[in-house]
Amino acid sequence: MQLEFDPEVPAREVRLTLTVDELEIFWGSLRETLEAVDEHEFQTRVGFGSQDVRRLQAELARLMNALPYAPE
């Protein structure tokens, strides 16, 4: 994993480089969070609404589906 700060990029944007395995870990963590945290307390416990997390998870899923398959 690599985190970069670029002074040319807006302050609220971060660039994060992940391996495919790390991307899958991140996506799975979002899935588990959505399943484990009750809707009525999601915003309080996570800091964002479940719809925000679902939207991020969907974007990551589209990215993962676009990656070329490279069996190990």
Side-chain angles (χ1 to χ4, degrees):
M1 176 172 52
Q2 180 180 344
L3 180 63
E4 297 177 13
F5 170 73
D6 183 349
E8 302 294 320
V9 175
R12 294 197 45 88
E13 188 173 312
V14 174
R15 293 188 181 167
L16 181 63
T17 303
L18 301 172
T19 66
V20 173
D21 288 344
E22 290 168 337
L23 178 60
E24 290 179 2
I25 290 168
F26 184 46
W27 187 88
S29 298
L30 294 176
R31 183 192 65 234
E32 290 300 314
T33 301
L34 286 163
E35 290 179 9
V37 179
D38 290 333
E39 185 66 35
H40 71 275
E41 60 183 37
F42 201 93
Q43 175 76 36
T44 302
R45 293 187 60 195
V46 177
F48 292 90
S50 63
Q51 294 298 20
D52 296 323
V53 175
R54 288 181 203 289
R55 194 171 18 260
L56 175 59
Q57 187 186 37
E59 289 178 34
L60 292 174
R62 280 191 292 277
L63 173 62
M64 290 168 55
N65 288 329
L67 294 173
Y69 175 70
E72 295 181 17

